[in-house]
Coordinates of all heavy atoms in Angstrom, one line a residue:
M1 N 0.8 -1.2 0.0 CA 0.0 0.0 0.0 C 0.9 1.2 0.0 O 1.7 1.3 0.8 CB -0.9 0.0 1.2 CG -1.7 1.2 1.3 SD -2.7 1.4 2.8 CE -3.3 -0.1 3.2
S2 N 0.6 2.1 -0.9 CA 1.3 3.4 -0.9 C 0.6 4.5 -0.1 O -0.6 4.3 0.2 CB 1.5 3.7 -2.4 OG 0.3 4.2 -3.0
W3 N 1.2 5.6 0.0 CA 0.7 6.7 0.8 C -0.5 7.2 0.0 O -1.3 7.9 0.5 CB 1.7 7.7 1.2 CG 2.3 8.4 0.0 CD1 3.4 8.0 -0.7 CD2 1.9 9.6 -0.5 NE1 3.7 8.9 -1.7 CE2 2.7 9.8 -1.7 CE3 0.8 10.5 -0.4 CZ2 2.6 11.0 -2.5 CZ3 0.7 11.5 -1.2 CH2 1.6 11.9 -2.2
V4 N -0.4 7.1 -1.4 CA -1.5 7.6 -2.3 C -2.8 6.9 -1.9 O -3.9 7.5 -2.0 CB -1.1 7.6 -3.8 CG1 -2.2 8.0 -4.6 CG2 0.1 8.3 -4.0
D5 N -2.7 5.6 -1.6 CA -3.9 4.8 -1.2 C -4.2 4.9 0.2 O -5.4 4.7 0.6 CB -3.6 3.3 -1.6 CG -3.6 3.0 -3.1 OD1 -4.1 3.8 -3.9 OD2 -3.0 2.0 -3.4
A6 N -3.3 5.4 1.1 CA -3.6 5.3 2.5 C -4.5 6.5 2.9 O -5.4 6.3 3.7 CB -2.3 5.5 3.2
L7 N -4.4 7.6 2.3 CA -5.3 8.8 2.6 C -6.7 8.5 2.2 O -7.6 8.7 3.1 CB -4.7 10.1 2.0 CG -5.5 11.3 2.4 CD1 -5.4 11.5 4.0 CD2 -4.9 12.5 1.8
P8 N -7.0 8.1 1.0 CA -8.5 7.8 0.7 C -9.0 6.7 1.6 O -10.2 6.7 1.9 CB -8.4 7.5 -0.8 CG -7.2 8.1 -1.3 CD -6.2 8.0 -0.2
L9 N -8.1 5.7 1.9 CA -8.6 4.6 2.7 C -9.0 5.1 4.1 O -9.9 4.7 4.7 CB -7.5 3.5 2.8 CG -8.0 2.1 3.2 CD1 -9.0 1.6 2.3 CD2 -6.7 1.2 3.4
L10 N -8.1 6.0 4.6 CA -8.3 6.6 6.0 C -9.7 7.4 5.9 O -10.5 7.3 6.9 CB -7.2 7.4 6.4 CG -7.3 8.0 7.8 CD1 -7.2 6.9 8.8 CD2 -6.1 9.0 8.0
V11 N -9.9 8.1 4.9 CA -11.1 9.0 4.8 C -12.3 8.0 4.6 O -13.4 8.3 5.3 CB -11.0 9.9 3.5 CG1 -12.3 10.5 3.2 CG2 -9.9 10.9 3.8
L12 N -12.2 7.0 3.9 CA -13.3 6.0 3.7 C -13.6 5.3 5.0 O -14.8 5.3 5.4 CB -12.9 4.9 2.7 CG -14.0 4.0 2.3 CD1 -15.0 4.7 1.4 CD2 -13.3 2.9 1.6
A13 N -12.7 5.0 5.8 CA -13.0 4.4 7.1 C -13.5 5.3 8.1 O -14.4 5.0 8.8 CB -11.6 3.8 7.7
T14 N -13.1 6.6 8.0 CA -13.6 7.6 8.9 C -15.2 7.9 8.5 O -15.9 8.1 9.4 CB -12.9 8.9 8.9 OG1 -11.5 8.6 9.2 CG2 -13.4 10.0 9.8
F15 N -15.4 7.9 7.2 CA -16.7 8.1 6.8 C -17.7 7.0 7.2 O -18.8 7.2 7.7 CB -16.7 8.2 5.2 CG -18.1 8.5 4.6 CD1 -18.6 9.7 4.8 CD2 -18.8 7.5 3.9 CE1 -20.0 9.9 4.2 CE2 -20.0 7.8 3.3 CZ -20.6 8.9 3.5
C16 N -17.2 5.7 7.2 CA -18.0 4.6 7.6 C -18.1 4.6 9.1 O -19.2 4.1 9.6 CB -17.3 3.3 7.1 SG -17.4 3.0 5.4
A17 N -17.1 5.1 9.9 CA -17.3 5.1 11.3 C -18.2 6.2 11.7 O -18.9 6.1 12.7 CB -15.9 5.5 11.9
G18 N -18.4 7.3 10.8 CA -19.5 8.2 11.2 C -20.8 7.6 11.1 O -21.7 8.0 11.8
F19 N -21.0 6.8 10.1 CA -22.4 6.1 10.0 C -22.6 5.2 11.2 O -23.7 5.0 11.7 CB -22.6 5.4 8.7 CG -23.0 6.3 7.5 CD1 -22.1 6.6 6.5 CD2 -24.2 6.8 7.6 CE1 -22.5 7.4 5.5 CE2 -24.7 7.7 6.6 CZ -23.8 8.0 5.5
Y20 N -21.5 4.5 11.6 CA -21.5 3.7 12.7 C -21.9 4.5 14.0 O -22.8 4.0 14.8 CB -20.1 3.1 12.9 CG -20.1 2.1 14.2 CD1 -20.6 0.8 14.2 CD2 -19.4 2.6 15.3 CE1 -20.5 0.1 15.3 CE2 -19.3 1.8 16.5 CZ -19.8 0.6 16.5 OH -19.7 -0.2 17.6
A21 N -21.4 5.6 14.1 CA -21.7 6.5 15.3 C -23.2 7.0 15.2 O -23.9 7.1 16.2 CB -20.8 7.6 15.4
L22 N -23.6 7.2 14.0 CA -24.9 7.8 13.8 C -26.0 6.8 14.1 O -27.0 7.1 14.6 CB -25.1 8.3 12.3 CG -26.4 9.0 11.9 CD1 -26.5 10.2 12.6 CD2 -26.4 9.1 10.4
F23 N -25.8 5.5 13.7 CA -26.7 4.5 13.9 C -26.6 3.5 15.1 O -27.5 2.8 15.4 CB -26.8 3.6 12.6 CG -27.3 4.3 11.5 CD1 -26.5 4.4 10.3 CD2 -28.5 4.9 11.4 CE1 -27.0 5.1 9.2 CE2 -29.0 5.6 10.3 CZ -28.2 5.6 9.2
G24 N -25.5 3.7 15.8 CA -25.5 2.7 17.0 C -24.5 3.1 18.1 O -24.8 2.6 19.2
A25 N -23.5 3.7 17.9 CA -22.5 3.9 18.8 C -22.9 5.1 19.7 O -23.3 6.2 19.4 CB -21.1 4.2 18.3
R26 N -22.8 4.9 21.0 CA -23.0 6.0 22.0 C -21.8 6.1 22.9 O -21.3 5.1 23.5 CB -24.2 5.7 22.9 CG -25.5 5.5 22.2 CD -26.0 6.9 21.8 NE -27.3 6.7 21.2 CZ -27.5 6.8 19.9 NH1 -26.5 7.1 19.1 NH2 -28.7 6.7 19.4
G27 N -21.2 7.2 22.9 CA -20.0 7.4 23.7 C -18.7 7.4 22.9 O -18.7 6.8 21.9
Y28 N -17.7 8.1 23.5 CA -16.5 8.1 22.8 C -15.7 6.8 22.6 O -15.1 6.6 21.7 CB -15.5 9.2 23.5 CG -16.0 10.5 23.3 CD1 -16.5 11.3 24.5 CD2 -16.1 11.2 22.1 CE1 -17.0 12.6 24.3 CE2 -16.6 12.5 21.9 CZ -17.0 13.2 23.1 OH -17.5 14.4 23.0
R29 N -15.8 5.9 23.6 CA -15.1 4.7 23.6 C -15.7 3.8 22.5 O -14.9 3.2 21.7 CB -15.2 4.0 25.0 CG -14.4 2.8 25.1 CD -14.4 2.1 26.4 NE -14.7 0.7 26.2 CZ -15.5 0.0 27.0 NH1 -16.1 0.4 28.0 NH2 -15.7 -1.3 26.7
R30 N -17.0 3.8 22.3 CA -17.6 2.9 21.3 C -17.3 3.5 19.9 O -17.2 2.8 19.0 CB -19.0 2.8 21.5 CG -19.3 1.9 22.8 CD -20.7 1.4 22.9 NE -21.1 0.5 21.8 CZ -22.3 0.1 21.6 NH1 -23.2 0.5 22.4 NH2 -22.6 -0.6 20.6
L31 N -17.2 4.8 19.9 CA -16.9 5.5 18.6 C -15.5 5.2 18.2 O -15.3 4.9 17.0 CB -17.1 7.0 18.7 CG -16.6 7.9 17.5 CD1 -17.5 7.5 16.3 CD2 -16.7 9.3 17.8
F32 N -14.5 5.2 19.1 CA -13.3 4.8 18.8 C -13.1 3.3 18.4 O -12.3 3.1 17.4 CB -12.3 5.1 20.1 CG -10.9 4.8 19.9 CD1 -10.1 5.6 18.9 CD2 -10.2 3.8 20.5 CE1 -8.8 5.3 18.7 CE2 -8.9 3.4 20.3 CZ -8.2 4.2 19.3
I33 N -13.8 2.5 19.1 CA -13.7 1.1 18.7 C -14.4 0.9 17.3 O -13.8 0.1 16.5 CB -14.4 0.2 19.7 CG1 -13.5 0.2 21.0 CG2 -14.7 -1.2 19.3 CD1 -14.2 -0.5 22.2
G34 N -15.4 1.6 17.1 CA -16.0 1.5 15.7 C -15.1 2.1 14.7 O -15.1 1.5 13.5
W35 N -14.4 3.1 14.9 CA -13.4 3.7 13.9 C -12.2 2.6 13.7 O -11.8 2.4 12.6 CB -12.9 5.0 14.5 CG -12.0 5.5 13.5 CD1 -12.3 6.2 12.2 CD2 -10.5 5.6 13.5 NE1 -11.2 6.6 11.6 CE2 -10.0 6.3 12.3 CE3 -9.5 5.2 14.3 CZ2 -8.8 6.4 12.1 CZ3 -8.2 5.3 14.2 CH2 -7.8 6.0 13.0
L36 N -11.8 2.1 14.7 CA -10.7 1.0 14.6 C -11.2 -0.2 13.8 O -10.5 -0.7 13.0 CB -10.3 0.6 16.0 CG -9.4 1.5 16.7 CD1 -8.9 1.0 18.1 CD2 -8.1 1.9 15.9
A37 N -12.5 -0.6 14.1 CA -13.1 -1.7 13.4 C -13.2 -1.3 11.9 O -13.0 -2.1 11.0 CB -14.4 -2.2 14.0
S38 N -13.6 -0.1 11.6 CA -13.8 0.4 10.3 C -12.5 0.4 9.6 O -12.4 0.0 8.4 CB -14.4 1.7 10.4 OG -14.6 2.3 9.0
L39 N -11.5 0.9 10.2 CA -10.1 1.0 9.6 C -9.6 -0.4 9.3 O -9.1 -0.7 8.2 CB -9.1 1.8 10.5 CG -7.8 2.0 9.9 CD1 -7.9 2.9 8.7 CD2 -6.9 2.8 11.0
A40 N -9.7 -1.3 10.2 CA -9.2 -2.7 10.0 C -10.1 -3.4 8.9 O -9.4 -4.0 8.1 CB -9.3 -3.5 11.3
G41 N -11.3 -3.1 8.8 CA -12.1 -3.7 7.7 C -11.8 -3.2 6.4 O -11.7 -3.9 5.4
A42 N -11.5 -1.9 6.3 CA -11.2 -1.2 5.1 C -9.8 -1.8 4.6 O -9.7 -2.0 3.4 CB -11.2 0.4 5.3
I43 N -8.9 -1.9 5.5 CA -7.6 -2.5 5.1 C -7.7 -3.9 4.7 O -7.1 -4.3 3.7 CB -6.6 -2.3 6.3 CG1 -6.2 -0.9 6.5 CG2 -5.3 -3.1 6.1 CD1 -5.5 -0.6 7.8
L44 N -8.5 -4.6 5.3 CA -8.7 -6.1 4.9 C -9.5 -6.1 3.6 O -9.1 -7.0 2.7 CB -9.6 -6.8 5.9 CG -8.8 -7.2 7.2 CD1 -9.8 -7.9 8.2 CD2 -7.7 -8.2 6.9
G45 N -10.4 -5.2 3.4 CA -11.1 -5.2 2.1 C -10.2 -4.7 1.0 O -10.3 -5.2 -0.2
Y46 N -9.3 -3.8 1.3 CA -8.3 -3.3 0.3 C -7.4 -4.4 -0.1 O -7.2 -4.7 -1.2 CB -7.5 -2.2 0.9 CG -6.3 -1.7 0.2 CD1 -6.5 -0.7 -0.8 CD2 -5.1 -2.2 0.3 CE1 -5.4 -0.3 -1.6 CE2 -4.0 -1.8 -0.5 CZ -4.2 -0.8 -1.4 OH -3.1 -0.4 -2.2
A47 N -6.9 -5.3 0.9 CA -6.0 -6.3 0.7 C -6.6 -7.5 -0.2 O -6.3 -8.0 -1.2 CB -5.5 -6.9 2.0
L48 N -8.0 -7.7 0.2 CA -8.8 -8.7 -0.6 C -9.1 -8.2 -2.0 O -9.0 -9.1 -2.9 CB -10.1 -9.0 0.2 CG -10.9 -10.1 -0.3 CD1 -10.2 -11.4 -0.2 CD2 -12.3 -10.1 0.4
G49 N -9.3 -6.9 -2.2 CA -9.6 -6.5 -3.4 C -8.4 -6.5 -4.4 O -8.6 -6.8 -5.5
H50 N -7.2 -6.3 -3.8 CA -6.0 -6.4 -4.7 C -5.7 -7.9 -4.9 O -5.1 -8.2 -6.0 CB -4.8 -5.7 -4.0 CG -4.9 -4.3 -4.3 ND1 -4.6 -3.7 -5.6 CD2 -5.1 -3.2 -3.6 CE1 -4.6 -2.5 -5.6 NE2 -5.0 -2.1 -4.4
A51 N -6.0 -8.8 -3.9 CA -5.6 -10.2 -4.0 C -6.5 -10.8 -5.1 O -6.1 -11.6 -5.9 CB -5.7 -10.9 -2.8
I52 N -7.8 -10.6 -5.0 CA -8.7 -11.2 -6.0 C -8.9 -10.4 -7.3 O -8.9 -11.0 -8.4 CB -10.1 -11.3 -5.3 CG1 -10.0 -12.3 -4.2 CG2 -11.2 -11.9 -6.3 CD1 -11.3 -12.4 -3.3
G53 N -9.1 -9.1 -7.2 CA -9.1 -8.3 -8.4 C -10.3 -8.5 -9.2 O -10.2 -8.5 -10.4
L54 N -11.4 -8.7 -8.5 CA -12.7 -9.0 -9.3 C -13.3 -7.7 -9.9 O -13.8 -7.8 -11.1 CB -13.8 -9.6 -8.4 CG -13.4 -11.0 -8.0 CD1 -14.6 -11.4 -7.0 CD2 -13.4 -11.9 -9.1
S55 N -13.3 -6.6 -9.2 CA -14.1 -5.5 -9.7 C -13.2 -4.3 -10.2 O -13.3 -3.3 -9.6 CB -15.1 -5.0 -8.6 OG -14.3 -4.7 -7.5
R56 N -12.3 -4.6 -11.1 CA -11.5 -3.5 -11.6 C -12.3 -2.2 -12.0 O -11.9 -1.1 -11.7 CB -10.6 -3.9 -12.7 CG -9.4 -4.8 -12.3 CD -8.3 -3.9 -12.2 NE -7.1 -4.8 -12.0 CZ -6.2 -4.4 -11.1 NH1 -6.2 -3.2 -10.5 NH2 -5.1 -5.1 -10.8
P57 N -13.4 -2.3 -12.7 CA -14.1 -1.1 -13.1 C -14.7 -0.3 -12.0 O -15.0 0.9 -12.2 CB -15.2 -1.6 -14.0 CG -14.9 -3.0 -14.4 CD -14.0 -3.5 -13.4
L58 N -14.8 -0.9 -10.8 CA -15.4 -0.2 -9.7 C -14.3 0.4 -8.8 O -14.6 0.8 -7.7 CB -16.2 -1.2 -8.9 CG -17.5 -1.6 -9.6 CD1 -18.2 -2.6 -8.7 CD2 -18.4 -0.5 -10.0
W59 N -13.1 0.4 -9.2 CA -12.0 0.9 -8.3 C -11.9 2.4 -8.6 O -12.2 3.0 -9.5 CB -10.7 0.3 -8.8 CG -10.5 -1.1 -8.2 CD1 -11.5 -2.0 -8.0 CD2 -9.3 -1.8 -8.0 NE1 -11.0 -3.2 -7.6 CE2 -9.6 -3.1 -7.6 CE3 -7.9 -1.5 -8.2 CZ2 -8.7 -4.1 -7.3 CZ3 -7.0 -2.4 -7.9 CH2 -7.4 -3.7 -7.5
L60 N -11.4 3.1 -7.5 CA -11.1 4.5 -7.6 C -9.6 4.7 -7.6 O -9.0 4.7 -6.5 CB -11.8 5.2 -6.4 CG -11.6 6.7 -6.2 CD1 -12.4 7.4 -7.3 CD2 -12.3 7.1 -4.9
G61 N -9.1 4.9 -8.8 CA -7.7 4.8 -8.9 C -7.2 3.4 -8.7 O -7.5 2.5 -9.3
S62 N -6.4 3.2 -7.6 CA -6.0 1.9 -7.3 C -6.6 1.4 -6.0 O -6.3 0.4 -5.4 CB -4.4 1.8 -7.1 OG -4.1 2.6 -6.0
L63 N -7.6 2.1 -5.6 CA -8.4 1.7 -4.3 C -9.6 1.0 -4.7 O -10.6 1.5 -5.3 CB -8.7 3.0 -3.5 CG -9.5 2.9 -2.3 CD1 -8.6 2.2 -1.2 CD2 -10.1 4.1 -1.8
P64 N -9.7 -0.3 -4.3 CA -11.0 -1.0 -4.5 C -12.0 -0.7 -3.4 O -12.1 -1.3 -2.4 CB -10.6 -2.5 -4.3 CG -9.4 -2.4 -3.4 CD -8.7 -1.1 -3.7
W65 N -12.8 0.5 -3.7 CA -13.6 1.1 -2.6 C -14.8 0.2 -2.2 O -15.2 0.2 -1.1 CB -14.1 2.5 -3.1 CG -14.9 2.4 -4.4 CD1 -14.4 2.5 -5.6 CD2 -16.3 2.3 -4.4 NE1 -15.5 2.5 -6.5 CE2 -16.7 2.3 -5.8 CE3 -17.3 2.2 -3.5 CZ2 -18.0 2.3 -6.2 CZ3 -18.7 2.1 -3.9 CH2 -18.9 2.2 -5.2
L66 N -15.3 -0.6 -3.2 CA -16.4 -1.4 -2.8 C -16.0 -2.4 -1.7 O -16.7 -2.7 -0.8 CB -17.1 -2.1 -4.0 CG -18.3 -2.9 -3.8 CD1 -19.4 -2.1 -3.3 CD2 -18.7 -3.6 -5.1
E67 N -14.8 -3.2 -2.1 CA -14.4 -4.1 -1.1 C -14.0 -3.5 0.2 O -14.3 -4.1 1.4 CB -13.1 -4.9 -1.7 CG -13.5 -5.8 -2.8 CD -13.5 -5.1 -4.1 OE1 -13.4 -3.9 -4.2 OE2 -13.6 -5.9 -5.1
A68 N -13.5 -2.3 0.2 CA -13.1 -1.6 1.4 C -14.3 -1.3 2.3 O -14.3 -1.5 3.5 CB -12.2 -0.4 1.1
I69 N -15.4 -0.7 1.6 CA -16.6 -0.4 2.3 C -17.2 -1.6 2.9 O -17.7 -1.7 4.1 CB -17.6 0.3 1.4 CG1 -17.0 1.7 1.2 CG2 -18.9 0.4 2.0 CD1 -17.9 2.5 0.1
L70 N -17.3 -2.7 2.1 CA -17.9 -3.9 2.7 C -17.1 -4.5 3.8 O -17.7 -4.9 4.8 CB -18.0 -4.9 1.5 CG -19.1 -4.6 0.4 CD1 -19.0 -5.8 -0.6 CD2 -20.4 -4.6 1.1
G71 N -15.8 -4.5 3.8 CA -15.0 -4.9 4.9 C -15.2 -4.1 6.1 O -15.2 -4.6 7.3
A72 N -15.3 -2.8 5.9 CA -15.4 -1.8 7.0 C -16.9 -2.1 7.7 O -17.0 -2.2 8.9 CB -15.3 -0.4 6.6
I73 N -17.8 -2.2 6.9 CA -19.1 -2.5 7.4 C -19.3 -3.8 8.2 O -19.8 -4.0 9.2 CB -20.2 -2.4 6.4 CG1 -20.4 -1.0 5.9 CG2 -21.6 -2.9 6.8 CD1 -21.2 -0.8 4.6
L74 N -18.6 -4.8 7.6 CA -18.7 -6.2 8.2 C -18.0 -6.1 9.6 O -18.6 -6.6 10.6 CB -18.0 -7.2 7.2 CG -17.9 -8.5 7.9 CD1 -19.3 -9.2 7.8 CD2 -17.0 -9.4 7.0
L75 N -16.9 -5.5 9.7 CA -16.2 -5.4 11.1 C -17.0 -4.5 12.0 O -16.8 -4.7 13.2 CB -14.7 -5.1 10.9 CG -13.8 -6.2 10.4 CD1 -12.4 -5.8 10.4 CD2 -14.1 -7.5 11.2
Q76 N -17.6 -3.5 11.4 CA -18.4 -2.7 12.4 C -19.6 -3.5 12.9 O -20.0 -3.3 14.1 CB -18.9 -1.4 11.7 CG -17.8 -0.4 11.5 CD -18.3 0.7 10.7 OE1 -19.4 0.8 10.1 NE2 -17.5 1.8 10.6
V77 N -20.3 -4.3 12.1 CA -21.2 -5.1 12.6 C -20.8 -6.1 13.7 O -21.5 -6.2 14.8 CB -21.9 -5.9 11.5 CG1 -22.9 -6.9 11.9 CG2 -22.7 -4.9 10.6
V78 N -19.6 -6.6 13.5 CA -19.0 -7.5 14.5 C -18.7 -6.7 15.8 O -19.0 -7.2 17.0 CB -17.8 -8.2 14.0 CG1 -17.0 -8.8 15.1 CG2 -18.1 -9.1 12.9
A79 N -18.2 -5.4 15.7 CA -17.9 -4.6 16.8 C -19.3 -4.3 17.5 O -19.3 -4.2 18.8 CB -17.2 -3.4 16.5
L80 N -20.3 -4.0 16.8 CA -21.5 -3.6 17.4 C -22.2 -4.8 18.1 O -22.7 -4.7 19.2 CB -22.5 -3.1 16.3 CG -23.9 -2.5 16.8 CD1 -23.5 -1.3 17.5 CD2 -24.7 -2.2 15.5
R81 N -22.1 -6.0 17.6 CA -22.6 -7.3 18.2 C -21.8 -7.7 19.4 O -22.3 -8.2 20.3 CB -22.7 -8.4 17.2 CG -23.6 -8.2 16.1 CD -25.1 -8.2 16.7 NE -25.9 -7.9 15.7 CZ -27.2 -7.6 16.0 NH1 -27.6 -7.5 17.2 NH2 -28.0 -7.3 15.0
L82 N -20.5 -7.3 19.5 CA -19.7 -7.7 20.6 C -20.1 -6.8 21.9 O -19.7 -7.2 23.0 CB -18.3 -7.6 20.4 CG -17.6 -8.6 19.4 CD1 -16.2 -8.3 19.2 CD2 -17.9 -10.1 20.0
R83 N -20.6 -5.6 21.7 CA -20.9 -4.7 22.7 C -19.8 -4.4 23.6 O -19.9 -4.5 24.8 CB -22.1 -5.2 23.5 CG -23.4 -5.4 22.7 CD -24.6 -5.5 23.5 NE -25.7 -5.7 22.7 CZ -26.6 -4.8 22.3 NH1 -26.4 -3.5 22.7 NH2 -27.6 -5.1 21.6
V84 N -18.7 -4.1 23.0 CA -17.5 -3.7 23.7 C -17.6 -2.4 24.4 O -18.2 -1.5 23.9 CB -16.2 -3.7 22.8 CG1 -15.0 -3.4 23.5 CG2 -16.1 -5.0 22.1

């Protein structure tokens, strides 16, 4: 991952964490955990998108945004269900 991909990935994870806070998280601790889960999911989605390479037309530059969003949402649902 280059720094050119890291900034949009960080923005995407923060955007998804904002929706997590809007729909379920209460308090700063849960917001931080949701942001960490979103960041980890976006990174996993990024890696999976580059490993599989299924949706090249849906990429934003070299960022597979669909896989990154799905990974972020999936790990946020896990974090929400764990009730940390």
Side-chain angles (χ1 to χ4, degrees):
M1 177 187 319
S2 69
W3 66 272
V4 176
D5 292 338
L7 184 62
L9 196 65
L10 184 65
V11 170
L12 185 75
T14 304
F15 182 71
C16 289
F19 278 112
Y20 175 78
L22 184 66
F23 291 121
R26 299 285 185 253
Y28 291 114
R29 189 176 128 216
R30 292 191 66 190
L31 176 63
F32 181 67
I33 289 172
W35 183 76
L36 286 178
S38 177
L39 185 62
I43 290 171
L44 287 174
Y46 175 86
L48 186 66
H50 276 288
I52 295 175
L54 290 177
S55 60
R56 281 265 186 219
L58 296 176
W59 286 24
L60 179 63
S62 64
L63 179 69
W65 62 271
L66 184 63
E67 289 89 348
I69 289 175
L70 289 177
I73 290 172
L74 180 69
L75 283 186
Q76 284 178 352
V77 168
V78 169
L80 189 63
R81 291 292 174 196
L82 288 177
R83 300 197 184 259
V84 178

